[in-house]
Every structure is written in C-alpha cells, then in structure tokens.
Amino acid sequence: MFTVLLSAFILTFHNVTVRILFSEHLVLGLFVLGGYVKPDLQNSLLLMFMRMLLVVPLMASLAFKLYPSAGKELRDLFRRERTDVLLQALGCGVLMFVYIALLYIAIGLIPTGIAMTLFFTYPVFTALLAWRFFGERPTLFRWLVMAIILGGGVLTIPQSSAAYSSDIITNGIFASIGSGVVYAFYKVMAQKCLEKFHPVPFTWISFTCTLLFSGVSLLFWPPSSTQLDWTPLWIGSIFSGLVSFIGHTFNNVGIRMIGATKASIVGASSPALTVLVAWVTISETLNLIQSLGILIVTLGIALLSGEGFVRKRSTS
C-alpha cells in the first residue's frame, strides 16, 4: 500500500513541473522559475514529445526485464489473427496521446490541483462507458457516488479574477474534463485489449504511440515561439520523465503486491496530494470551498474504487 501511495506522491512532481514550465512561480520560497512556454496545444505537444523521448526507452529496458516474453507478444501482434488486438492497442495509444495533451493544456491554464481534480472525475465517465459497452449497469450506490464526485468537481471550479480571466478558466475546465473523458475511453478500450494482451508490452505500446504522434504532430503544429529557452525545457522534461518512469514503476509494483482494486483506492489520494505538493513547492493556494471540493472528489473516487472490493469480499 505504501508503494502505491509513494507512486501517487512522486507523480505529483511531474504535474507541478509541467505547471512551472508553463507559468512563472516562486519555487520553495527561494527562487523564481518558469514561464518558458505558453500553455497552448503546440507547446503541450512539444513538452510531451521531450518527456517521452526519455520515458519510452526507460520503459522498454524495464518491460523486457519484467516480462521476457514481451518481444514475442509484440511480434505476434502482426499476425492476421491478432489484428483486432493490434488495432485496440494502437487505439489506446492514440487516446493516451490526446488525454495527455489536453491535461498539459489544463495544467498550464488553471491551478495544478484543480486541473488534476477535474481530470480525476474520469471514473464517472468510465462507469457510464462500461454500462454502454459491457452492460455493467451502475448500482444505486455507484450513481450516488458519481453524483458526489461531480458535485465536488463543481466546487473546485475557480472564479474569474485578475490572475484568471473567464476565458482561461473556461478553457482550463474544458481541457481538464475533456482529458478525463478521453482517459475514460482509454480505460474501457484498455480493459478490452488486456483480455488478450499482457499489460507490460501494452503499456509500452501506448507510450511509444504517444511519442510518435506527438513528434509527427509537431511537424504540422510547430511551437508557437521560434525562440525557446531550451536548457530549462530539457531539464524540466528530463526531470518529469524520470519521475513519471519511477512513479509508474512503483505503481505497477504496488498493483502486483496488493491488487488493482486496492491500488485504485490508494491512488484516489492523487488530487489531494497534488494540492499539497503544489502548495509546498510553488505556493499554489485554494480557497476553503475548492479544498472541500477536492476532498469530496477524493472520497468519491475512493468509494467508487472500493465498491468492487467490498462486493468481492462479501461474495467470497
């Protein structure tokens, strides 16, 4: 359980790093950093590409050690009878590319904790999609919890101010929630694909597709500024890539140790942890209502994740 919690904590530093790259902040109360690129689509693609240049090779080196048969499974994907699995895996890669791009934009526009909290409303959309595609009709308890999560998300929405215009807030909200919706589609498609494909090579394919699609996209939508400060961008990208790799590794180890359901319950702490880390590192503060909304969303995610665990224990 500690391993999954540590994973969630480590991954918050990736989100905070992205926020710093997009906007200037006083870091740890000591020095001013950030604001190297504008929070738009082109620059989100650039940061994603730079991050994946590090993460994909690192994940490949780990994947083939954790699962020696990964190479054989990847080659088997190109057999005619495995075409459906290949298309599903590639589809998941496209969805990962889209949801990360939207999440980067959201983190650049609105406070990190709020962006992540709105993104973490994705279990609501996942449950609805699972009902549509797998016939898993939500129980009354699940409907109530989904309403709680959405209600908490509404409480976190920032108001217009000198720092955040109504347009910035609107775009940030749509990008956060849109990222969550796309991630819900990713989860549902991944569930289908993982019935026939091992999670280790599957995860590597998703990250590789994100690297390729972000690289190709930059050919059509190059960065909006021709004069970029590459040194801090590379430092930030390398750091975010390393913490992403370490965080995902700890998460996978934790899932193996305690199971996916328990890991999901512990992982529900991510929005609250993001708020805490953003407050300590870059002094991002939220008002009382927004803090309450984040706690409500965190509780709702934990309840939704724990429903299956409780049901399983009651039937065993």
Side-chain angles (χ1 to χ4, degrees):
M1 187 173 294
F2 174 76
T3 304
V4 179
L5 186 62
L6 182 62
S7 164
F9 176 72
I10 291 172
L11 287 172
T12 62
F13 285 93
H14 164 255
N15 303 323
V16 171
T17 301
V18 173
R19 177 67 173 168
I20 292 173
L21 292 174
F22 278 132
S23 59
E24 190 176 272
H25 286 85
L26 180 65
V27 179
L28 298 174
L30 299 175
F31 42 87
V32 176
L33 289 176
Y36 305 112
V37 289
K38 293 195 320 183
D40 56 22
L41 176 61
Q42 298 97 312
N43 292 322
S44 295
L45 295 173
L46 175 64
L47 294 183
M48 190 193 315
F49 177 74
M50 294 170 71
R51 170 196 170 199
M52 290 299 170
L53 276 176
L54 175 69
V55 173
V56 170
L58 283 175
M59 289 199 70
S61 64
L62 180 67
F64 292 98
K65 290 180 181 178
L66 286 177
Y67 187 58
S69 300
K72 182 180 182 300
E73 285 213 23
L74 288 172
R75 290 191 298 270
D76 288 345
L77 282 180
F78 294 94
R79 289 161 38 193
R80 180 174 298 178
E81 60 270 24
R82 300 277 286 174
T83 301
D84 59 332
V85 181
L86 175 61
L87 292 176
Q88 289 169 359
L90 293 177
C92 286
V94 174
L95 293 173
M96 174 177 278
F97 160 70
V98 174
Y99 89 72
I100 292 178
L102 289 173
L103 187 58
Y104 272 32
I105 294 172
I107 291 174
L109 293 174
I110 58 179
T112 319
I114 294 177
M116 291 306 299
T117 300
L118 292 175
F119 167 76
F120 266 85
T121 59
Y122 75 82
V124 174
F125 308 110
T126 303
L128 295 175
L129 290 171
W131 182 17
R132 170 65 178 82
F133 292 107
F134 301 122
E136 299 177 7
R137 184 183 179 88
T139 61
L140 177 60
F141 173 80
R142 184 167 294 188
W143 282 115
L144 291 173
V145 173
M146 289 193 295
I148 290 173
I149 292 174
L150 291 177
V154 170
L155 292 178
T156 66
I157 294 175
Q159 301 297 315
S160 300
S161 64
Y164 300 101
S165 67
S166 59
D167 289 341
I168 290 177
I169 291 173
T170 301
N171 291 336
I173 291 170
F174 275 109
S176 300
I177 297 177
S179 178
V181 172
V182 176
Y183 184 65
F185 276 98
Y186 171 84
K187 293 272 286 185
V188 170
M189 185 176 289
Q191 178 180 334
K192 189 71 176 175
C193 185
L194 289 171
E195 293 174 358
K196 306 175 183 178
F197 196 35
H198 194 277
V200 170
F202 167 80
T203 304
W204 184 80
I205 285 180
S206 294
F207 276 82
T208 302
C209 286
T210 302
L211 171 63
L212 294 175
F213 287 129
S214 57
V216 171
S217 298
L218 286 172
L219 298 176
F220 298 96
W221 297 288
S224 51
S225 176
T226 56
Q227 295 182 335
L228 296 173
D229 196 347
W230 289 104
T231 300
L233 287 179
W234 275 114
I235 292 174
S237 297
I238 291 172
F239 177 76
S240 65
L242 284 174
V243 296
S244 296
F245 173 73
I246 295 170
H248 281 97
T249 301
F250 274 120
N251 186 62
N252 291 335
V253 172
I255 290 173
R256 178 174 292 184
M257 293 171 62
I258 65 175
T261 303
K262 287 184 180 179
S264 297
I265 297 173
V266 178
S269 61
S270 290
L273 284 174
T274 301
V275 172
L276 178 62
V277 171
W279 173 63
V280 172
T281 56
I282 57 177
S283 303
E284 272 193 355
T285 57
L286 305 178
N287 60 39
L288 181 60
I289 294 178
Q290 290 170 333
S291 300
L292 178 62
I294 289 172
L295 290 176
I296 290 173
V297 171
T298 301
L299 176 62
I301 298 168
L303 289 172
L304 202 59
S305 301
E307 182 195 12
F309 175 70
V310 173
R311 187 186 303 172
K312 184 178 180 180
R313 287 287 298 271
S314 63
T315 56
S316 60

